[in-house]
Amino acid sequence: MFELAPRLLAVLDTGAPVVVATAVSMTGSAPSGVGTSMAVLPGGQVVGTISGGCVEGSLFLTAEQVLETGEAVFERFGFDDDPDAVWAPALRCGGRVEVLVHRVTSDDALLVSALRDAAAGLPTSLAVSLEPGTLGVVVTAPDGCRDRVFVERSDHRPRCVVVGAVETAVAVTNAAAVLGYAVTVVDPRPVFLTDERFPAADERIVGWPTRVFEGLPVDRTTAVVVLAHDDRFDAEVIDQALRRGAGYVGAMGSRSTHERRLAELHALGTPDLDRLRSPIGLDIGARTPAETAVAIMAEVVAVRTSSSGGALTGGSGPIHRVPARVP
């Protein structure tokens, strides 16, 4: 449920309850992962999804029941080889999913606290009982508990550093924010780096990019997107990003620009040049800033999940793979 934290808190802070349905177990092919949630807000508004449409109708009816009674419900969807097993309507993709549906109120102090940490981008976890009689109750000491529990974790919010307040950077910032990144935009020109142009950015830092970058936290979850196309600092920023172990480093520019940058980077002794994504983005024929942002952020996701970024058509094996986890 942590991916819905801001929306849930906005309702809980008014004193109204919400009903959350969370996937606590998945096997086989499924369009989302364990921990994915949908919530039913006051007035029947639905946010989030678990199966992309296969089971949401059934879960909505269950949520209405849980909202009225306050009693948590454990739902199972999918196929089973055991003819005596009781499963609700199947997922079209053939997978199986078990879902906890429970009511959440502002009085659930531990749960609300975890939601606030998740919304702030802080690492947090929450253990919820799946045992009859205590279904949906937050467990304070899951490690020593013999009951069946579901532990949901939220890592720190990954960072996307966008260098260069060009028009494409506006679209990249919006796309990265939608994907859950904390976005920092860096540019030495205050006239371009404004709140009005970059409302989705968490930080807008006016300053010389190489100096600003030195003070930014960078780890393997960080994506560095260099869009400035400025020979005065592009190569040095790329050098810093690769040396500091950013998980994704990409730079805008033509192939000839890339070759010039490579010469500078070789002169700087930059390591791991094979990790540099330049020209930046997947080849989708992008022309507009919005299309280019899609190409760039699609490549960011592909690098994060160690995926090829190619078309699914003509491929083989499961479509929905367990994503590679970044330590």
Side-chain angles (χ1 to χ4, degrees):
M1 82 182 86
F2 289 141
E3 76 275 18
L4 303 177
R7 298 293 300 274
L8 299 181
L9 288 169
V11 175
L12 292 171
D13 286 344
T14 69
V18 298
V19 175
V20 180
T22 301
V24 298
S25 174
M26 282 191 178
T27 57
S29 181
S32 57
V34 172
T36 305
S37 299
M38 65 168 274
V40 179
L41 309 183
Q45 182 186 6
V46 176
V47 295
T49 184
I50 288 178
S51 71
C54 297
V55 303
E56 274 71 8
S58 179
L59 285 173
F60 180 80
L61 296 177
T62 301
E64 288 187 315
Q65 169 193 330
V66 171
L67 180 63
E68 181 177 347
T69 66
E71 296 182 5
V73 173
F74 193 72
E75 293 276 29
R76 306 167 79 191
F77 301 89
F79 296 99
D80 197 280
D81 295 332
D82 181 359
D84 296 325
V86 179
W87 290 83
L91 275 69
R92 295 185 182 94
C93 54
R96 305 173 187 171
V97 59
E98 295 178 315
V99 183
L100 171 66
V101 187
H102 60 127
R103 188 171 68 182
V104 178
T105 72
S106 57
D107 294 330
D108 301 320
L110 290 174
L111 195 153
V112 172
S113 177
L115 286 173
R116 294 198 189 283
D117 286 343
L122 301 174
T124 189
S125 65
L126 187 73
V128 181
S129 173
L130 300 181
E131 288 290 316
T134 58
L135 187 65
V137 175
V138 174
V139 180
T140 57
D143 293 338
C145 182
R146 290 180 295 177
D147 293 342
R148 185 183 176 204
V149 299
F150 169 67
V151 181
E152 184 174 1
R153 292 181 173 84
S154 177
D155 297 327
H156 78 278
R157 193 177 173 197
R159 179 183 297 272
C160 179
V161 180
V162 180
V163 180
V166 297
E167 194 62 26
T168 299
V170 176
V172 168
T173 299
N174 293 337
V178 168
L179 291 173
Y181 284 86
V183 185
T184 297
V185 185
V186 182
D187 195 288
R189 304 164 300 176
V191 67
F192 293 107
L193 189 50
T194 63
D195 294 354
E196 291 74 20
R197 290 191 74 214
F198 292 93
D202 293 80
E203 289 183 300
R204 291 164 290 275
I205 304 178
V206 177
W208 198 249
T210 53
R211 290 195 289 269
V212 172
F213 196 83
E214 290 175 354
L216 295 177
V218 174
D219 59 26
R220 291 185 63 189
T221 69
T222 305
V224 178
V225 179
V226 181
L227 304 176
H229 209 282
D230 193 317
D231 292 338
R232 295 175 297 171
F233 52 73
D234 277 8
E236 291 185 48
V237 170
I238 293 168
D239 176 76
Q240 290 183 45
L242 289 171
R243 288 183 188 276
R244 296 180 63 188
Y248 174 92
V249 183
M252 178 80 81
S254 65
R255 297 194 187 280
S256 59
T257 298
H258 171 65
E259 292 303 321
R260 288 201 311 273
R261 282 204 196 111
L262 275 183
E264 289 185 61
L265 292 167
H266 280 300
L268 291 170
T270 304
D272 300 327
L273 283 175
D274 60 314
R275 294 202 300 110
L276 173 61
R277 299 286 172 150
S278 176
I280 197 170
L282 299 184
D283 183 5
I284 63 171
R287 292 290 183 270
T288 66
E291 291 173 346
T292 302
V294 170
I296 291 171
M297 293 312 300
E299 185 176 58
V300 170
V301 173
V303 169
R304 187 193 73 214
T305 59
S306 301
S307 301
S308 68
L312 291 172
T313 301
S316 61
I319 294 174
H320 304 289
R321 301 182 294 111
V322 177
R325 291 187 65 83
V326 177

